[in-house]
Amino acid sequence: MAAACGDRVPLEAERGYHVELAGDAPELPVPVMPQDLKAGIVRTRSGFRIAGQVEFATADAAPDWARAEILREALGSCFPALADWTGEITRWQGNRPSTPDGLPVIGPASGCKGVIHAFGHGHVGLCTAPATPGT
């Protein structure tokens, strides 16, 4: 959208990973985010999911599945009953656009009157974007 308003914004792929253990897993009534893991853990309809791990790479780079393995091991450290999981394990890696330095893009669009850029707030966009000056 920035390009449509006359501005070129450099972006990189910020890649996240998740691992889901499908099947019968311990109950977890609410999602948790152990701060030492920097990951989120949630019980889904199909299993137990942990998501986290961030890396910057080109959008077409091969996934680094070692990052998913870190998550799987972390899940076992939080929930010992899952440490020796023998059921189905699904790994996923996805890209989201991010500014290369993690800094936000803030200011008027050069080619569209009345459009203000206010995006690219790194991992704190939900908290900081609403307070962005000029929005």
Side-chain angles (χ1 to χ4, degrees):
M1 292 191 322
C5 290
D7 299 306
R8 182 184 177 283
V9 178
L11 296 175
E12 283 293 334
E14 186 174 356
R15 299 153 39 110
Y17 292 81
H18 90 214
V19 172
E20 185 167 287
L21 310 182
D24 194 25
E27 285 299 314
L28 185 64
V30 296
V32 295
M33 290 187 74
Q35 289 303 299
D36 56 338
L37 299 178
K38 304 286 191 254
I41 303 170
V42 64
R43 181 80 165 97
T44 67
R45 288 185 189 139
S46 58
F48 219 68
R49 180 180 298 164
I50 182 168
Q53 292 289 317
V54 173
E55 66 182 350
F56 287 95
T58 60
D60 58 354
D64 178 359
W65 293 122
R67 290 185 174 275
E69 184 59 22
I70 290 168
L71 291 171
R72 191 197 62 72
E73 289 173 3
L75 196 53
S77 73
C78 288
F79 299 92
L82 301 176
D84 296 319
W85 186 260
T86 58
E88 181 183 346
I89 299 175
T90 303
R91 303 176 303 173
W92 176 88
Q93 178 268 311
N95 298 329
R96 64 177 154 206
S98 183
T99 55
D101 56 8
L103 295 175
V105 177
I106 301 171
S110 64
C112 294
K113 186 176 180 174
V115 173
I116 306 289
H117 296 305
F119 63 90
H121 293 79
H123 285 281
V124 292
L126 288 175
C127 297
T128 58
T132 300
T135 60

